[in-house]
Amino acid sequence: MLTDTQIKKAKAQEKAYKLFDSGGLFLFVSTAGGKMWRMKYRFSDKEKLLSIGTYPEMSLVDARAARDQAKQVLKSGRDPNALKKIEKISAKASQADTFEVLAREWHELQKPQWVEIHAQDVLDSLEKEVFPYLGSLAMNDITPANVLAVIRIMEKRDAKEKARRVRQRISAVFVYAISSGRANTDPAAIVQGAMAPRKRGKQPAVVGLEEARQMLKAVEEEPAHPVTKLAHRLLAITAARPGTLATTPWHEFNDLGHNLPIWEIPAARMKLRKEYKDDPDRDHLIPLPWQAIEIIETVRSITGKGPFVFPNARHAHKAMSPNAIGYMLNRAGYHHRHVPHGWRSTFSTVMNTLYRDDEAIIELMLAHVPKNKVKAAYDRAEHIDRRVELSQIWANLILEGAPSPKELLDRPRKILKKAA
């Protein structure tokens, strides 16, 4: 049997040679003086050689322990060399299975069932909020504390709802990794109970008619781009979803010159499940009162040559961000009191108070389908005459005493900072 002294004294010779220990273990000494532990064994009636490690990185004691482990593998009927290759491949695969790699793989798998804007939002949130912190880590190295640290960063900047969505997406990636054998646990599920409590209730909204009129007046006196003010006024009148209104192309308003002007929003632009996006029966019809037509014709004089009714202030070929209206509301003193989406609550509350018998029609005007609706699709023109009447009543109520849209063009504008 070998001793440490023999191993240390072994020097390079003209030919490589072996120093044998026991149980098939020996030290191979190369012509350059390198010393490598190897083990000779038989498997399936064939003589084989197992490379164990190098000296002095692996001591004599460690080499013998590795030999004994290999013999245990042989006793179980397995080939130590084959097992070593499998472990090497597994280790390499484990290094490649970082959170970012698995997250992108999961995203590609889910993307076909999502609408494009949602798919992009999911990927953007991961790229911005998660990959910089967890992206390079192996799935099994990520702890609940790691995930919670990412969540806390969002919570500290008051993005609590986004933090909850991101946690759900992190958890979905781990569930996918577990199901495909590349993770053992879901640390994102564990941290759910440690998150900051969510705000209960609907998005902040002014729901009193007189207060809503005062808000509209305050916003329109705020220095801002006239297109933003006109978009806000049309949003108030139509109670459309802010994202839908902000991305409205001009061709949706090009055929309004008749007795019953209707804004027809294609299902593809509505908040619907993907399988309904191509269903024309789910197009949404918004009757336009005469005040809405005035707004549209006024804004046409400014942006009518471009693709969008309400373009971005800096890039005319892009649609305005719904955030532009939100920032204007904030500057007017309505931060945490009213958001662009809040006009839908304002319309619903006021009109349901005044016209209780029309509750179902008011819900239909908001593109809300009753939960107990049996039909897969609904008649998009249902109660259209009454919807026209209610739309005009609402416009008359909310715009009582308001200046004409053209007067908004001459009001002070917010000075845009030049891009660096």
Side-chain angles (χ1 to χ4, degrees):
M1 294 177 63
L2 285 174
T3 64
D4 286 322
T5 302
Q6 287 177 293
I7 297 169
K8 288 177 182 177
K9 289 183 176 180
K11 304 297 183 184
Q13 298 180 10
E14 289 186 9
K15 292 184 179 181
Y17 61 97
K18 304 171 185 177
L19 295 175
F20 288 93
D21 185 57
S22 61
L25 178 66
F26 64 89
L27 186 72
F28 177 83
V29 184
S30 71
T31 55
K35 300 172 183 179
M36 290 153 280
W37 292 110
R38 291 177 177 173
M39 174 185 166
K40 186 167 63 174
Y41 68 99
R42 295 189 69 83
F43 186 80
S44 298
D45 293 329
K46 292 182 180 179
E47 187 173 286
K48 294 193 172 187
L49 204 60
L50 177 66
S51 295
I52 294 178
T54 59
Y55 181 89
E57 288 79 8
M58 177 176 278
S59 68
L60 174 59
V61 172
D62 291 338
R64 286 172 176 166
R67 173 203 62 197
D68 294 341
Q69 186 176 5
K71 286 185 174 292
Q72 289 298 320
V73 172
L74 280 167
K75 284 183 180 180
S76 68
R78 293 176 294 169
D79 183 353
N81 254 317
L83 183 62
K84 183 179 179 181
K85 288 178 181 178
I86 291 172
E87 290 174 344
K88 188 174 181 181
I89 292 170
S90 297
K92 186 176 181 181
S94 177
Q95 291 174 358
D97 289 342
T98 63
F99 181 84
E100 181 171 351
V101 169
L102 268 295
R104 291 187 183 278
E105 191 176 307
W106 165 80
H107 183 265
E108 282 298 314
L109 189 67
Q110 303 298 321
K111 190 165 64 171
Q113 64 182 331
W114 291 335
V115 295
E116 184 177 351
I117 190 170
H118 177 66
Q120 191 59 50
D121 175 66
V122 171
L123 185 59
D124 288 346
S125 68
L126 292 172
E127 289 180 336
K128 179 181 178 182
E129 309 290 356
V130 186
F131 292 169
Y133 308 102
L134 306 180
S136 62
L137 299 181
M139 297 297 284
N140 286 325
D141 290 342
I142 297 174
T143 66
N146 296 146
V147 176
L148 188 59
V150 171
I151 298 302
R152 290 286 187 251
I153 292 171
M154 286 179 278
E155 290 178 342
K156 284 181 180 178
R157 66 170 193 266
D158 202 26
K160 295 184 178 66
E161 286 304 315
K162 185 174 185 180
R164 289 184 175 275
R165 292 195 299 273
V166 168
R167 187 210 64 79
Q168 291 172 347
R169 291 163 187 173
I170 295 173
S171 182
V173 173
F174 272 98
V175 170
Y176 169 69
I178 292 168
S179 65
S180 57
R182 290 174 287 179
N184 298 324
T185 60
D186 176 9
I190 298 171
V191 306
Q192 186 173 5
M195 296 182 68
R198 71 196 321 165
K199 293 179 180 178
R200 297 293 178 183
K202 299 178 181 179
Q203 297 190 61
V206 167
V207 294
L209 178 59
E210 189 55 42
E211 190 180 358
R213 288 175 182 155
Q214 290 297 323
M215 176 175 64
L216 190 64
K217 182 175 183 291
V219 170
E220 292 183 348
E221 289 176 351
E222 184 70 23
H225 197 287
V227 170
T228 310
K229 291 182 180 181
L230 292 169
H232 177 248
R233 182 179 283 199
L234 188 61
L235 184 70
I237 292 177
T238 61
R241 288 188 171 88
T244 301
L245 181 132
T247 56
T248 301
W250 266 115
H251 66 76
E252 290 181 15
F253 286 158
N254 284 342
D255 188 27
L256 301 178
H258 44 74
N259 294 331
L260 189 62
I262 299 287
W263 177 16
E264 183 173 347
I265 305 175
R269 295 209 312 112
M270 292 296 293
K271 185 180 180 182
L272 295 167
R273 290 166 60 178
K274 188 173 182 178
E275 59 263 37
Y276 299 146
K277 290 286 188 176
D278 296 325
D279 184 357
D281 288 334
R282 293 182 180 272
D283 293 353
H284 181 48
L285 305 183
I286 299 181
L288 296 174
W290 63 264
Q291 294 95 329
I293 301 300
E294 274 194 343
I295 296 170
I296 292 167
E297 293 310 313
T298 300
V299 78
R300 193 188 298 274
S301 68
I302 307 173
T303 71
K305 294 182 179 180
F308 294 103
V309 179
F310 304 109
N312 186 286
R314 290 187 174 89
H315 308 285
H317 63 288
K318 295 182 179 179
M320 176 184 74
S321 167
N323 292 334
I325 296 176
Y327 295 148
M328 186 171 63
L329 281 161
N330 292 347
R331 294 197 303 274
Y334 287 87
H335 186 52
H336 292 317
R337 294 172 61 195
H338 190 91
V339 295
H341 195 275
W343 277 111
R344 293 168 61 79
S345 294
T346 309
F347 167 77
S348 178
T349 302
V350 173
M351 295 302 282
N352 274 305
T353 301
L354 297 175
Y355 301 94
R356 295 184 183 276
D357 293 341
D358 291 312
E359 180 182 357
I361 300 175
I362 291 168
E363 289 298 295
L364 189 61
M365 293 171 73
L366 291 166
H368 291 166
V369 182
K371 291 181 179 179
N372 61 352
K373 192 95 173 174
V374 176
K375 288 167 45 177
Y378 56 90
D379 182 357
R380 62 192 181 130
E382 189 176 2
H383 305 293
I384 193 66
D385 291 339
R386 184 56 177 160
R387 286 158 66 182
V388 169
E389 292 173 358
L390 292 173
S391 293
Q392 189 60 65
I393 290 170
W394 168 247
N396 293 344
L397 286 171
I398 198 65
L399 292 179
E400 183 179 293
S404 71
K406 289 185 179 179
E407 291 181 60
L408 299 182
L409 302 183
D410 299 324
R411 294 196 172 182
R413 300 190 179 199
K414 184 176 183 292
I415 299 174
L416 295 174
K417 294 181 180 179
K418 293 182 178 180

